[in-house]
Amino acid sequence: MPMSGPANAKGAGSGEEGPPPEPCSATACVDQAGTVQMWSAEAETLLGYPAREVCGTPAMELLTTRRNREAALAGRDRPEAGRQSWDGVLALRHRDGHDVSVALRVRPLTDREGRAGWSVSAEDARRIERENSDRATMRALFEQYPVPIAIMDGELRYRLLNRAAERILNRPGNQLIGRHADADISHIDSETIDRVLRQVRETGEPVLGLSVRGSPPTGPDRDRMWSLSTFRLTDPADRFLAMCQTYVDITDGYRAERRRELLTRAGAGIGATLDVARTAQELADVLVPALGDVAWVALSESVLEGDEPPKMFGPGRWNLRRIGVAPPGDGWPTGLPAAGAVPPALPDVALLRRIGQGETVLLPDRDSVIAAAEGHTELAHLFVPEHGHSAIAAPLFARGLVLGTVVVWRTHRPDPFGQEDADLLTETASRAALGVDNARRYTREHRAAVALQQRLLPAATTDTPAAETVGFYVPAGGGAEIGGDWYDVIALPSFRIALVAGDVTGHGLHATATMGRLRTAVDTLADLELDPDELLTHLDDLVQQLQDEAPDPGDTVGASCLYAVYDPVTCRCTLAGAGHPPPLVVRPDGTVGPVEISPGPLLGVGGMPFEATTFEVEPGSVITVYTKGVINRDDHDPDAGLRRLTDRLARFAGPGRALDGVGHELLRSLGDAPARDDMTLLLARTRAIAPENTATWEFPADESVVAAARQAAAGQLAAWGLEEMSFTTELVVSELVTNAIRYAGGPVGLRLIRENVLVCEVDDPSNTQPRLRRARWSDEGGRGLFLVAQLTTRWGSRYARSGKTIWTEQPLPADPGPLTSLS
């Protein structure tokens, strides 16, 4: 038989081994003489020789070297082998010339005729070596893999555990093998282990990456998070072999994620309302249950008022009020002071001094809590909840000031707080402190602005002979914002009143300050008794001046305004508007309608006229003046808003209804949502002075009629039972009528009005302003107005389209007799 084949690229000449053959188990039979008698197909695959070339040839010729032949003969003939068997690794020559390292297993063989021989089986030694190496590698991987791995049989009993699994279970594998996997030796809840294993065993569907909490019995931190993966092990035919569970420690990632989540919630949920108490409650809500079981936030009482806390912040001067608590309601521990509680004076202990200096204090166990109290156990019920075993206290520290404290306890979960928890609370409290401080500063500024605006607005109610009035102001944002809306009721001479409503564009202190200036200007101009259209013209000039004086050229100063004057003697109302919605009138019969007016341009536009409108008002009517915030709601449709206001006035403002109740019901009906714009509402129920309480005369321009005027006035006073006022009134009438005839001509009108005071009016056709002056001792005249001013409580003049009216007021005697008025 040839011992070598033709040389090729992988032949003996190159000295290189060819690729290993496919896995096979080659067999051959060799007789007692060493001749090959049988050659299997696998042997042909292994060495490349067909059976016809090998059978009948010496087997030794397949060995490549003398040393291999000697080793084979020595193994066959050595006495200890007993001619029974022999194993070894030898090199055989492949048919193409390269050497093949094979593992030989030689076993004795006897045929039926008793002839002896050997059965030889061989496998590629390189494949066996590689498989052995792979098995060793896999075994090393299983043993040395840092992730815990546990193998269970079909009954869910431990079969294999790697070293990592033994470490977390704190027991060697020989104590665990055979134990059921849901036994109390597990570092994860036994119910979870059993449930997941049974589910995967029955369904075949793996459960991967299940986050579970575990508490291994060793280590300083017993609270760990694991990613649990459970799956079945099967052979190539999908036959069940075992169950496998792996545990990946994700504690660091879980804690980092929890930290990010808590800080994100704190950033999104704390300080958005600019309310100090609400901000404190938001902080407590964020901390429970994310960090602890019980938490409270206590703030200095000065912070709640919007002021800075005391600079000297020792424990005896804290004055902290517990504001935010969690869990609220029934979840709050029994016996622990709830929200609103003020603790007594605190002792000067190291724990409180550390907090007052801006340090977060960690109390990991009850022993540290007891030690921190320094013997003041009588205060325990104020600060230690039932079952509380671990706590963290952190200051709310902002701009170098301690605004308050936040305290978190663990009562139900067994694991204590650690330094990482303390660091997390420190960062959360630091962010929350900025929110509290912003809310505090806003509270201070808003309180000052609201106080300013309240001082600028008139009294809410007035009661005059002309009307009963009630005013309402509702700031935007449910009280969170202030603006430039205002209303006013101005008492004018001769029992008239002016009803005013205005709206400055914009919000904030700038709008409030502008509103104050405009309201003052309206009061001043009203004192001049200008017609409504003329008053708005002067007010328009003032707004244009404010625009020129604005510090920022981009600032826009504008306003709308409605000015109405009601006369209870004539029962007429004259009004003019500057870009303002028209008033509504509720008549005594219950019907409601708007007053048709020319709205005019907004104040500050300039160059456009304002038009006055006069209309009759029945006594007992309710004139409703308002700003656009009342009718401009979420639908942004002022026409629809005007219809809603009209309908609700018809429902609420009927005869006999108190105006205060009407206004509250009206505003309540607009909805609970905070208004986007300020709202002012002014309700005025008109009255009329009865005709019998007035008397009017007209005289020609002749000084001889002065006596008739005096006589007429005296007669009317006698009819009213005011004879004791005759002397003074006759002097006033004499001086005023004489001056009118002498300097203005005629005709001259005289009117007396009796109400809570006596009003005397003299009309003349002149527009000359009367002047009060002190006459010198040598002057023959000039003492008339001086005398009038001394005899009356007030006097003045007003102008009409033509001519003027000079009026005086005198107090009535203590018992003036019955007065009659219409309402």
Side-chain angles (χ1 to χ4, degrees), residues 305-517:
E305 297 297 325
D307 300 324
E308 290 189 348
K311 301 297 189 296
M312 300 298 293
F313 206 64
R317 293 179 292 272
W318 276 27
N319 286 331
L320 298 180
R321 182 180 294 274
R322 193 169 291 180
I323 300 302
V325 297
D330 295 338
W332 183 249
T334 303
L336 198 65
V342 179
L346 301 178
D348 188 8
V349 297
L351 171 67
L352 299 180
R353 288 196 300 270
R354 291 169 60 189
I355 297 175
Q357 293 168 0
E359 180 182 348
T360 298
V361 177
L362 171 63
L363 303 174
D365 49 46
R366 290 194 69 88
D367 291 340
S368 59
V369 174
I370 295 173
E374 298 183 9
H376 297 277
T377 56
E378 72 278 3
L379 299 177
H381 69 283
L382 300 176
F383 300 99
V384 182
E386 186 180 7
H387 307 303
H389 63 84
S390 181
I392 314 174
L396 294 174
F397 199 70
R399 298 188 303 108
L401 298 174
V402 178
L403 308 176
T405 61
V406 54
V407 180
V408 186
W409 280 90
R410 283 187 176 170
T411 57
H412 301 305
R413 62 183 92 178
D415 49 302
F417 285 119
Q419 186 58 45
E420 184 178 359
D421 298 311
D423 295 340
L424 180 57
L425 180 60
T426 301
E427 187 170 355
T428 305
S430 177
R431 297 189 180 191
L434 294 177
V436 171
D437 192 51
N438 287 338
R440 177 195 66 80
R441 297 169 71 180
Y442 171 80
T443 299
R444 180 185 61 189
E445 295 176 3
H446 183 260
R447 184 181 60 185
V450 169
L452 171 63
Q453 189 161 41
Q454 289 176 346
R455 298 299 186 275
L456 293 175
L457 290 175
T461 62
T462 65
D463 194 352
T464 67
E468 169 198 4
T469 68
V470 176
F472 301 88
Y473 171 73
V474 180
E481 301 178 20
I482 59 172
D485 287 21
W486 88 93
Y487 67 88
D488 207 348
V489 178
I490 305 172
L492 299 177
S494 303
F495 307 107
R496 296 168 304 140
I497 60 169
L499 306 176
V500 188
D503 182 1
V504 176
T505 57
H507 293 88
L509 282 176
H510 173 74
T512 302
T514 303
M515 177 269 285
R517 298 182 69 175

Side-chain angles (χ1 to χ4, degrees), residues 251-276:
T251 304
D252 292 341
Y254 169 78
R255 289 176 176 171
E257 180 62 29
R258 188 186 65 162
R259 182 186 186 91
R260 286 193 298 269
E261 180 181 353
L262 183 61
L263 294 177
T264 299
R265 287 182 57 200
I270 299 176
T273 60
L274 290 178
D275 180 84
V276 175

Side-chain angles (χ1 to χ4, degrees), residues 648 651-652 664-671:
R648 286 164 184 168
R651 188 190 320 164
F652 301 138
H664 282 101
E665 288 187 24
L666 186 63
L667 294 175
R668 192 180 304 115
S669 69
L670 298 178

Side-chain angles (χ1 to χ4, degrees), residues 397-717:
F397 199 70
R399 298 188 303 108
L401 298 174
V402 178
L403 308 176
T405 61
V406 54
V407 180
V408 186
W409 280 90
R410 283 187 176 170
T411 57
H412 301 305
R413 62 183 92 178
D415 49 302
F417 285 119
Q419 186 58 45
E420 184 178 359
D421 298 311
D423 295 340
L424 180 57
L425 180 60
T426 301
E427 187 170 355
T428 305
S430 177
R431 297 189 180 191
L434 294 177
V436 171
D437 192 51
N438 287 338
R440 177 195 66 80
R441 297 169 71 180
Y442 171 80
T443 299
R444 180 185 61 189
E445 295 176 3
H446 183 260
R447 184 181 60 185
V450 169
L452 171 63
Q453 189 161 41
Q454 289 176 346
R455 298 299 186 275
L456 293 175
L457 290 175
T461 62
T462 65
D463 194 352
T464 67
E468 169 198 4
T469 68
V470 176
F472 301 88
Y473 171 73
V474 180
E481 301 178 20
I482 59 172
D485 287 21
W486 88 93
Y487 67 88
D488 207 348
V489 178
I490 305 172
L492 299 177
S494 303
F495 307 107
R496 296 168 304 140
I497 60 169
L499 306 176
V500 188
D503 182 1
V504 176
T505 57
H507 293 88
L509 282 176
H510 173 74
T512 302
T514 303
M515 177 269 285
R517 298 182 69 175
L518 294 184
R519 178 172 179 259
T520 302
V522 171
D523 285 348
T524 303
L525 294 171
D527 192 54
L528 298 177
E529 299 192 66
L530 301 175
D531 288 339
D533 53 342
E534 187 176 357
L535 183 143
L536 290 182
T537 300
H538 287 286
L539 197 61
D540 181 61
D541 294 338
L542 173 61
V543 173
Q544 293 182 60
Q545 181 180 349
L546 294 178
Q547 291 175 345
D548 297 336
E549 296 174 355
D552 186 350
D555 288 347
T556 300
V557 179
S560 68
C561 185
L562 181 79
Y563 185 82
V565 176
Y566 172 68
D567 188 343
V569 176
T570 62
C571 294
R572 291 183 178 181
C573 183
T574 302
L575 58 85
H580 204 85
L584 296 172
V585 177
V586 184
R587 301 175 185 86
D589 60 3
T591 60
V592 184
V595 179
E596 298 295 334
I597 65 171
S598 175
L602 288 170
L603 298 176
V605 173
M608 300 291 290
F610 299 97
E611 296 184 18
T613 300
T614 300
F615 61 97
E616 303 286 339
V617 181
E618 298 178 62
S621 299
V622 177
I623 301 176
T624 305
V625 180
Y626 53 91
T627 54
K628 66 179 183 297
V630 176
I631 58 175
N632 286 353
R633 307 302 292 174
D634 293 337
D635 54 9
H636 303 287
D637 187 349
D639 293 334
L642 184 59
R643 289 192 295 271
R644 283 194 299 268
L645 180 60
T646 302
D647 295 341
R648 286 164 184 168
L649 279 172
R651 188 190 320 164
F652 301 138
R657 297 292 301 274
L659 290 184
D660 185 71
V662 171
H664 282 101
E665 288 187 24
L666 186 63
L667 294 175
R668 192 180 304 115
S669 69
L670 298 178
D672 297 330
R676 297 183 179 181
D677 196 5
D678 294 11
M679 295 188 295
T680 58
L681 178 68
L682 178 60
L683 303 175
R685 178 170 282 135
T686 62
R687 294 168 174 158
I689 295 177
E692 58 268 25
N693 289 339
T694 64
T696 305
W697 302 272
E698 185 174 282
F699 303 99
D702 186 345
E703 291 189 12
S704 63
V705 301
V706 174
R710 289 198 304 267
Q711 185 178 1
Q716 185 61 55
L717 291 177

